[in-house]
């Protein structure tokens, strides 16, 4: 990244950090926190779609898996958030890699069915495993995070808005930084190579399946982190927070921002995450405007704001 | 004959009713440059695809390596590459979204080791390795005469340069056998001379090569031995001069005037 883009990101982050201090009200902070959680999710989904070409229609399930993992560990074993997000990421990541195996074997319509089916099965399983998940009522009383210094002051996040906003902001910066580093590494270059030409990449010694599963796993783990933050913030989770509509929204964010682009994923998520609030006056037309915006975008700039020109259809030729 | 590095026996591959390869036997000795010629559709590219794990042969054995070697049939392409075989493609297959330099850096994948963790933490080893890979790639670009276009998108390079870039990418993995699929196709006379020079250099360094080529000047200029395929069968083999005078070879080419 050039100096200038570094500067722009630095300024953007600094501005974001000062927002709660300049009197942005709690409601707006909550909206922004949600948009930031979308940004984390979009970053993870971007790894899956942008790097392995799997157009995932059930990604919200990993978000849910992360949320329930943290919630269950917290409720049954008393794990605090600061530890609980780690198994949440691991479990969601394992699920991501496990689903990758069947997802990478099918294409087109079948792929849509496999991923969409996975998302719905996860949600319905959650509804029916009431003994563990509380069924449609969900899980209540998940502990909010707290920061405590030994013998010093203690900050309970509670139901305040600003702490979660900062937590989500920090998570976006860290996950975004991680994605940039991965994409620019040896493994990231291999991902780009197999997206350009899978056969040529394989003949250069790149283990195609292994790297694709890795991307799917990391994508799942990132959603798991977002899920743990969400559960810690809400204190209550129910299966309908992780439904198909969310998966589609996330996909729209990634496509809007530009597949494979880290800043695209973040900006796409912030734009679409706050848009519904900006359009609040026209409640019943919100989804309509949203849909129109997507169609116009696909006509004018199908590669997204920051994507390279290849997009969804770019990819591999046969032998 | 010295011990073979690559030993192919009884290799057969069919596509529906087409026998692309039928009972082919072929050896490449260590450090040897062998030519594989034959009219279009003879099965040359199919043989490369079978060796590199892109296609699975219906029958036959492909052994590679010293002291009898290891069976390659059943390995995936990346596993074959790990064993030390690199290739180029008849229809150039570069990574179109990358620069020339990045294409060659991808070729160093097997010679580098940085994993996710060292990338995420940007450990010094990972950075050193990255510098090493770039320097190596620059060196290879210079070798094939492309040092000046390191930063250019691979897809914008002229055709002949793309062919050379593919060779540089293949060399980046430091292979012990290089498979070249019609490297001179589409090159002008000067470019062919440059290619010949490069191939001779590689030969001097002891790299074993198997070269598919229609241009007899290139074949004669670098190959110690030539194998001729026609309709999936080996119809002749031997020193380039002998093979060229072999009546069966002349007939095969005259029977298929499309081949240059
Ligand atoms: N993937 C494939 N599917 C079907 N037929 C193929 C395939 N690859 C090659 N062939 C056929 O096999 C025969 C040999 O092709 P090929 O190996 O490309 O020949 P060469 O490289 O010697 O010109 C041809 O008849 C070709 O049409
Ligand atoms: Mg061919």
């Amino acid at each position: 990244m050039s100096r200038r883009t570094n500067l722009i990101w630095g300024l953007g982050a600094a501005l974001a950090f000062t927002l709660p201090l300049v009197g942005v009200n709690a409601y707006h902070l909550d909206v922004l926190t949600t948009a930031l959680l979308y940004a984390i999710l979009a970053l993870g989904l971007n790894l899956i779609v942008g790097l392995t070409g799997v157009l995932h229609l059930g990604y919200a399930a990993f978000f849910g898996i992360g949320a329930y993992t943290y919630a269950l560990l917290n409720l049954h074993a008393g794990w605090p958030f600061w530890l609980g997000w780690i198994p949440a990421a691991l479990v969601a990541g394992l699920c991501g890699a496990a689903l990758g195996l069947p997802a990478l074997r099918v294409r087109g319509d079948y792929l849509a069915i496999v991923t969409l089916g996975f998302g719905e099965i996860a949600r319905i399983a959650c509804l029916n495993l009431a003994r563990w998940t509380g069924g449609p009522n969900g899980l209540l009383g998940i502990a909010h995070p707290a920061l405590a210094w030994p013998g010093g002051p203690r900050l309970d996040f509670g139901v305040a808005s600003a702490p979660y906003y900062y937590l989500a902001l920090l998570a976006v910066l860290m996950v975004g930084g991680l994605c940039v580093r991965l994409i620019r590494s040896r493994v990231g270059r291999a991902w780009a190579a197999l997206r350009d030409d899978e056969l040529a990449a394989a003949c250069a010694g790149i283990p195609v399946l292994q790297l694709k599963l890795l991307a799917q796993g990391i994508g799942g783990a990132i959603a798991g982190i977002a899920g743990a933050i969400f559960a810690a913030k809400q204190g209550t989770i129910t299966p309908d927070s992780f439904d198909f509509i969310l998966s589609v929204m996330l996909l729209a964010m990634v496509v809007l921002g530009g597949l494979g682009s880290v800043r695209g994923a973040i900006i796409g998520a912030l734009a679409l995450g706050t848009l519904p609030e900006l359009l609040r006056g026209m409640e019943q037309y919100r989804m309509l405007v949203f849909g129109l915006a997507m169609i116009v975008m696909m006509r004018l700039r199908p590669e997204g704001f920051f994507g390279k020109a290849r997009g969804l259809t770019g990819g591999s030729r046969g032998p | 004959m010295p011990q073979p590095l690559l030993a192919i026996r009884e290799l057969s591959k069919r596509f529906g009713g087409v026998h692309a390869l039928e009972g082919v036997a072929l050896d490449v000795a260590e450090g040897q440059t062998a030519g594989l010629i034959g009219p279009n559709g003879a099965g040359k590219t199919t043989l490369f695809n079978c060796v590199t794990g892109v296609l699975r042969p219906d029958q036959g054995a492909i052994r590679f390596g010293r002291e009898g070697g290891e069976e390659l049939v059943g390995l995936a392409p990346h596993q074959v590459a790990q064993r030390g075989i690199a290739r180029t493609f008849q229809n150039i297959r570069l990574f179109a979204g990358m620069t020339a330099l990045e294409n060659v850096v991808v070729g160093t994948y097997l010679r580098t080791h940085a994993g996710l963790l060292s990338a995420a933490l940007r450990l010094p080893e990972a950075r050193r390795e990255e510098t090493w890979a770039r320097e190596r790639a620059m060196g290879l670009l210079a070798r094939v005469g492309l040092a000046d276009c390191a930063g250019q998108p691979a897809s914008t390079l002229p055709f002949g340069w793309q062919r050379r870039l593919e060779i540089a990418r293949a060399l980046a993995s430091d292979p012990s056998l290089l498979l070249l699929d019609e490297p001179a196709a589409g090159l002008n006379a000067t470019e062919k001379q440059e290619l010949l020079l490069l191939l001779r250099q590689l030969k001097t360094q002891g790299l074993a090569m198997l070269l598919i080529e229609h241009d007899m000047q290139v074949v004669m200029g670098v190959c110690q031995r030539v194998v001729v395929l026609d309709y999936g069968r080996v119809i002749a083999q031997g020193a380039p001069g002998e093979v060229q005078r072999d009546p069966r070879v002349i007939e095969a080419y005259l029977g298929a005037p499309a081949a240059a």
Side-chain angles (χ1 to χ4, degrees), chain A residues 178 181-182 184-187 189-194 196-208 210-211 214 218 308 310 316-319, chain B residues 52 54 77-78 81-82 85 87 89 91-98 102 105-107 109-110 112-116 119-122 129-130 134 169:
Chain A
L178 179 78
R181 284 184 176 192
L182 290 185
R184 283 201 216 141
S185 71
R186 163 176 178 262
V187 175
R189 212 167 22 239
W191 274 325
L194 63 89
D196 271 3
D197 190 327
E198 207 166 300
L199 181 72
C203 287
I206 292 168
V208 174
Q210 192 187 321
L211 283 193
L214 191 64
I218 298 172
K308 290 192 178 165
R310 299 166 60 93
S316 297
R317 300 175 283 163
Chain B
T52 53
V54 173
H78 74 272
Q82 276 165 8
I85 300 182
R87 72 175 286 184
F89 297 88
N91 326 303
I92 301 173
R93 305 185 72 131
L94 289 166
F95 305 122
M98 299 187 194
E102 286 168 336
V105 176
V106 170
Y109 187 85
L110 287 172
T112 46
H113 311 280
L116 285 182
L121 302 176
R122 238 192 246 169
E129 193 180 80
E130 189 71 20
R134 283 183 178 268
R169 179 179 71 187

Side-chain angles (χ1 to χ4, degrees), chain B residues 22-59:
Chain B
E22 254 191 301
V24 170
L26 186 156
D27 283 345
V28 181
E30 265 186 65
Q32 192 183 47
T33 302
L36 182 60
I37 66 171
N40 279 329
K44 305 178 297 293
T45 299
T46 303
L47 184 132
F48 272 20
N49 285 337
C50 288
V51 171
T52 53
V54 173
L55 291 173
R56 202 189 165 107
D58 301 327
Q59 252 176 54

